Amino acid sequence: MNHTVWRGGLLRAFDDVLKLGDKQQTKDSFGFLLIRCFSVAGRQVQKEIRNGDRAMSRGSDVKIATSEIKALIEMQRPEDVLYSLEQQGVRLDAPTYRSLLRRCTYTRNLTAGRKVHGHIVETGFKADIYLQTAVLSMYCKCGNLVEAHKVFDTMQQRDMFAWTLILAAYAKHGSAKDGFNLYKQLHDAGVRCDRIMYMSIVSMCANLGDLEEAKAVYNDIAKSGITVDALLSNNLIHMYARCGSMKHAHEVFNSMPERDVVSWNTMIAGAAWNGNVEEAFDLFSKMQQESMKPDFITFMSLVNVCTSLVALKQVHDSIIEAGLEADAHLATAVVSMFVKCGSAEDARWVFDKMKVRDIVTWNAMIEGYAKHGPYRKALEVYCQMQDEGFEPNCVTFTCLLNACANLASLQEARWVHARIVAAKLESHLHVANGMMNMFAKCDSTKDARQVFDKMEVRSVISWNTMINGYAECGPYMEAMEIFSQMQHEGVKPDAVTFTGLLKACANQASLQGARWVHTRIMAAAFESDIRVRNGLISMYAKCGSLADAAHVFNEMVERDVVTYNAMIAALGQYGHGRDALQQFHLMISTGVRPDGVTFVGVLSACSHTGLVDEGLRYFYSMSKDYSVTPEVEHVSCLVDLLGRAGHLVEAEEVVNRMPQTPVGATWGALLGACRLHGNVKLAERAAQFWTQLEPQNAEVYVSLAHIYLTASLWQEAMAVQKLMGDRDLRRQGPVGLR
């Protein structure tokens, strides 16, 4: 091969390009035209090299070939150039190897870099410090620290550039601990670090999170006498913040003669990272006072640290004031944070004003409605998203599945399922788990089981979802069968698995099954888990063994509010009202704060034991002494308490004056009291309101019929039975009327 071959290839390529016509020429600049010519010429010359120009001689012709190869390196893959060289038997020199390695480094082509390095080793080429450094640079910048360290260890001479490379690689790609140990070797060897090396060292120290090491590095920098500019100062601030010392970060910050926006952003982000929300906002205020204009990074840090809706709205107002509300990434962060703060309405306001949205934005809005409602809005946003040409992903469908689970609507659930199948995402593990949970919440374990059976890969979450689905909806024995299958397939259960089984046994009220599950819990060494022990108390109580429930409670070293709630409810259920109240006082004395569930148990215990005065006292003290707002469940318990004791007028007055809208259980408590005390008139009023809320609930008709029957009102009782028949209710009234 000679210069004629190269020139000929270039000219032929130039002619080929010119044939594209005037239209193409007017589009391309002359420089771009030349680049295209060289690219075509490179392919032509490479083809001729591969075909083997046997006329090429050694000596001076090799130099010509090397210069041509250097040109090819810029246009062809390094491994192709190596292949051509191997075919020609050409021996490369150090500059050419460095050119190849630089090309591998630039393109981050680790595979080609290894081949070049291998070629150097195989040919026995004696690499000088510059070539060794080029190999080191390739491995460092391609992120292969294992090979980089091997090369570094074999280098007989290491200059400042080699140290800088290896330290930067560890700072970016490696273990901070290993990289910091390398710095200590450098320090012990007496190598003086420059500013660039300290940038990497400071970065590694930040990742390490060790304050004492951070202080040592800072002292080394001070002793070195190097100029600490704004860039290094900002990195030092970041280091101290990551090591948990905003005090030292402030010292560096305050010592800076000039601060830029990065300095302020680093301080604000550091305060946010350490959970100092108030400090982050104070820094933002001072930043504005010093007329430093906040940027995208400033607001991203502030948005992500907002823990209240008020604070988030203030930050959003500042974003608008700074003219950054149109930034898609920032707007998406604001939407996501409004969702986390529980305001889907504010999130939607920002969402609707966005001119550019991506899939993350859509998912954030769908998630907002899925979590906080209105749940059907999540489906509407999904349809709008598709209308605008966005393809849903796994996150989209996971949010939709949660929305349907909260809706508990089987129709919508099957609609979403069909969309998932159409998108071919039904085999995705998280999506499949979400589908099972959704169908279970919609009371369709049949659909959930179909999804479960089709899964090729299942996680412990998959098994737990199916077990809990059966535990909630039944058939309860299926939960046991799924557990047995789970064990047969070698999947290790966790605490959630056993809480699901305990719930299934409790709902089935099977003491035999309860003890079987208890033995499995002990075998799996989960008996000490507080969640499991709480479930054991509830299960034994519902299975008729208060003694077993009390035994589990008494053996517990650690107890939380759920533990006490379970025991209080169990004692109240069996008529041990005073014992339940004693447990309540024990709970208070141990520093466990009661919640709404606690007072439902306490009031129910008072009701079942006839402790009217005590019940009234606890009802009025729950908000006054414990800051627990009475909900409809507590009012229903109060109605039951008064009604059982014969105070029917007061019970009705409580219902009429309650701030919440009465539910079926409220009227049911009043109707039950009427049945107990034979008050027909009040029973009719209570039944009327209850049927308006739950017209298909057979219990209200049965209770009213019994009241009529007890009062010898036969015609009225028969009329209720007929009404039940007309409405096709399952229970056909009292046995005495059949």
Side-chain angles (χ1 to χ4, degrees), residues 118-175:
H119 196 273
I120 294 169
V121 175
E122 287 170 11
T123 56
F125 190 88
K126 190 175 181 180
D128 58 15
I129 186 173
Y130 303 108
L131 184 53
Q132 285 180 321
T133 304
V135 174
L136 176 65
S137 176
M138 182 272 297
Y139 281 126
C140 286
K141 292 180 179 177
C142 289
N144 191 322
L145 283 178
V146 175
E147 295 297 331
H149 212 106
K150 285 179 183 178
V151 173
F152 185 77
D153 287 341
T154 59
M155 293 176 72
Q156 294 180 351
Q157 289 180 289
R158 297 168 184 161
D159 59 8
M160 291 285 285
F161 186 58
W163 280 103
T164 302
L165 281 171
I166 196 73
L167 287 171
Y170 270 104
K172 187 175 182 180
H173 304 290
S175 160

Side-chain angles (χ1 to χ4, degrees), residues 24-137:
Q24 184 67 38
Q25 291 177 47
T26 56
K27 280 186 173 182
D28 297 338
S29 67
F30 184 69
F32 182 65
L33 190 63
L34 281 177
I35 291 171
R36 293 174 63 206
C37 291
F38 272 105
S39 179
V40 175
R43 289 195 295 271
Q44 290 171 346
V45 173
Q46 184 188 32
K47 182 178 179 182
E48 293 179 29
I49 290 174
R50 284 181 174 175
N51 288 337
D53 186 357
R54 299 303 177 186
M56 186 177 70
S57 62
R58 301 296 177 185
S60 61
D61 285 342
V62 173
K63 294 180 181 177
I64 296 171
T66 302
S67 65
E68 292 172 358
I69 290 166
K70 286 181 181 178
L72 280 173
I73 289 170
E74 299 303 317
M75 294 176 284
Q76 302 297 319
R77 297 191 308 167
E79 55 263 50
D80 291 340
V81 177
L82 273 178
Y83 174 80
S84 300
L85 293 171
E86 288 170 357
Q87 294 296 308
Q88 292 297 317
V90 176
R91 186 178 178 86
L92 293 186
D93 58 7
T96 307
Y97 275 128
R98 289 201 298 271
S99 296
L100 281 166
L101 289 166
R102 277 196 297 269
R103 186 64 180 169
C104 295
T105 304
Y106 177 75
T107 58
R108 298 296 187 267
N109 190 337
L110 181 60
T111 303
R114 279 178 171 150
K115 287 181 180 179
V116 175
H117 184 204
H119 196 273
I120 294 169
V121 175
E122 287 170 11
T123 56
F125 190 88
K126 190 175 181 180
D128 58 15
I129 186 173
Y130 303 108
L131 184 53
Q132 285 180 321
T133 304
V135 174
L136 176 65
S137 176

Side-chain angles (χ1 to χ4, degrees), residues 384-396:
Q384 183 186 346
M385 168 185 164
Q386 285 205 305
D387 290 342
E388 294 191 21
F390 287 89
E391 288 296 323
N393 58 18
C394 293
V395 177
T396 316

Side-chain angles (χ1 to χ4, degrees), residues 530-702:
I530 191 169
R531 294 168 295 174
V532 173
R533 281 187 169 267
N534 292 341
L536 282 167
I537 295 171
S538 296
M539 176 191 69
Y540 277 127
K542 290 180 180 178
C543 291
S545 181
L546 182 61
D548 283 315
H551 178 72
V552 174
F553 178 85
N554 291 332
E555 283 193 336
M556 292 178 71
V557 178
E558 180 190 1
R559 297 168 184 161
D560 60 9
V561 65
V562 180
T563 314
Y564 284 101
N565 289 350
M567 200 62 225
I568 290 168
L571 290 166
Q573 178 185 339
Y574 286 91
H576 301 288
R578 295 205 178 273
D579 291 336
L581 298 183
Q582 188 177 350
Q583 286 294 341
F584 174 77
H585 291 293
L586 175 64
M587 172 185 181
I588 300 300
S589 66
T590 56
V592 178
R593 191 166 184 81
D595 59 11
V597 178
T598 312
F599 284 101
V600 170
V602 167
L603 293 171
S604 295
C606 291
S607 177
H608 284 89
T609 321
L611 302 173
V612 179
D613 292 339
E614 290 86 345
L616 289 170
R617 188 166 63 250
Y618 285 117
F619 181 83
Y620 291 115
S621 73
M622 60 185 289
S623 57
K624 179 183 176 183
D625 299 329
Y626 302 104
S627 302
V628 177
T629 304
E631 301 290 343
V632 66
E633 293 86 356
H634 303 104
V635 178
S636 297
C637 288
L638 183 61
V639 170
D640 186 59
L641 173 72
L642 294 168
R644 282 175 184 262
H647 304 295
L648 298 179
V649 175
E650 292 83 351
E652 185 181 20
E653 180 132 4
V654 168
V655 176
N656 293 332
R657 294 177 63 180
M658 63 187 291
Q660 306 93 339
T661 302
V663 296
T666 313
W667 294 112
L670 189 58
L671 187 60
C674 293
R675 180 177 174 179
L676 184 64
H677 297 285
N679 191 321
V680 177
K681 295 282 185 187
L682 182 55
E684 288 175 337
R685 289 199 298 274
Q688 181 182 0
F689 284 114
W690 194 1
T691 52
Q692 288 174 1
L693 292 171
E694 301 173 8
Q696 294 302 113
N697 190 337
E699 187 178 348
V700 56
Y701 302 97
V702 174

Side-chain angles (χ1 to χ4, degrees), residues 374-549:
Y375 304 125
R376 281 193 172 81
K377 287 282 187 182
L379 305 181
E380 291 176 14
V381 173
Y382 166 77
C383 293
Q384 183 186 346
M385 168 185 164
Q386 285 205 305
D387 290 342
E388 294 191 21
F390 287 89
E391 288 296 323
N393 58 18
C394 293
V395 177
T396 316
F397 285 120
T398 300
C399 295
L400 286 176
L401 292 168
N402 289 334
C404 288
N406 289 329
L407 276 172
S409 169
L410 189 57
Q411 182 180 355
E412 272 85 358
R414 286 175 174 163
W415 182 85
V416 171
H417 184 208
R419 299 302 178 280
I420 291 170
V421 172
K424 298 180 179 179
L425 290 172
E426 70 273 19
S427 62
H428 190 279
L429 183 61
H430 296 303
V431 174
N433 289 341
M435 286 193 291
M436 284 192 295
N437 177 64
M438 171 188 70
F439 281 128
K441 292 291 175 65
C442 295
D443 290 334
S444 179
T445 50
K446 180 182 177 182
D447 286 290
R449 184 60 181 268
Q450 286 176 354
V451 174
F452 179 82
D453 289 340
K454 288 179 182 178
M455 292 175 72
E456 295 179 2
V457 178
R458 303 183 186 114
S459 65
V460 68
I461 296 173
S462 313
W463 294 93
N464 290 347
T465 303
M466 201 64 246
I467 288 170
N468 277 281
Y470 283 127
E472 291 283 354
C473 309
Y476 306 123
M477 281 304 297
E478 289 291 334
M480 308 297 179
E481 291 181 17
I482 289 289
F483 175 70
S484 297
Q485 183 183 342
M486 178 183 184
Q487 287 192 306
H488 179 72
E489 294 191 17
V491 181
K492 190 176 180 180
D494 59 13
V496 178
T497 314
F498 288 116
T499 53
L501 290 173
L502 293 169
K503 193 182 297 179
C505 288
N507 289 335
Q508 197 177 12
S510 168
L511 186 57
Q512 182 182 358
R515 288 178 174 153
W516 180 86
V517 172
H518 196 169
T519 59
R520 298 302 181 277
I521 290 169
M522 289 189 290
F526 273 98
E527 196 178 14
S528 61
D529 188 286
I530 191 169
R531 294 168 295 174
V532 173
R533 281 187 169 267
N534 292 341
L536 282 167
I537 295 171
S538 296
M539 176 191 69
Y540 277 127
K542 290 180 180 178
C543 291
S545 181
L546 182 61
D548 283 315

Side-chain angles (χ1 to χ4, degrees), residues 187-362:
H187 188 271
D188 294 341
V191 178
R192 286 177 59 84
C193 297
D194 61 11
R195 190 181 63 84
I196 296 173
M197 293 168 73
Y198 273 122
M199 290 284 287
S200 298
I201 294 161
V202 166
S203 177
M204 286 187 292
C205 198
N207 292 332
L208 199 61
D210 189 320
L211 181 58
E212 293 306 313
E213 297 287 15
K215 290 177 183 177
V217 170
Y218 183 80
N219 290 334
D220 288 346
I221 292 171
K223 290 175 185 176
S224 70
I226 65 169
T227 302
V228 180
D229 60 4
L231 186 59
L232 183 54
S233 293
N234 293 338
N235 276 269
L236 286 167
I237 293 169
H238 174 72
M239 175 187 73
Y240 275 130
R242 285 294 173 136
C243 291
S245 178
M246 287 305 295
K247 175 187 173 184
H248 289 88
H250 273 286
E251 288 175 2
V252 176
F253 181 75
N254 294 332
S255 68
M256 295 175 70
E258 291 185 10
R259 305 170 190 141
D260 55 16
V261 68
V262 179
S263 312
W264 287 98
N265 288 347
T266 309
M267 284 296 294
I268 291 170
W273 193 83
N274 282 283
N276 302 329
V277 180
E278 188 176 342
E279 183 181 359
F281 280 96
D282 285 343
L283 284 162
F284 176 62
S285 298
K286 290 175 182 176
M287 177 184 185
Q288 291 179 306
Q289 289 169 13
E290 294 192 15
S291 301
M292 181 63 67
K293 188 177 179 182
D295 63 6
F296 165 82
I297 303 295
T298 317
F299 288 117
M300 283 296 284
S301 296
L302 290 171
V303 166
N304 291 327
V305 82
C306 286
T307 55
S308 70
L309 198 57
V310 173
L312 183 56
K313 286 182 177 180
Q314 289 174 350
V315 172
H316 187 229
D317 289 342
S318 297
I319 290 170
I320 295 171
E321 187 180 335
L324 293 172
E325 71 274 17
D327 186 282
H329 295 293
L330 191 54
T332 299
V334 172
V335 170
S336 297
M337 195 52 67
F338 269 128
V339 167
K340 289 179 182 177
C341 290
S343 179
E345 183 181 350
D346 286 305
R348 186 58 184 265
W349 187 83
V350 177
F351 178 84
D352 287 340
K353 288 188 173 296
M354 292 177 68
K355 293 180 180 178
V356 179
R357 305 182 187 116
D358 58 14
I359 186 66
V360 178
T361 318
W362 288 99

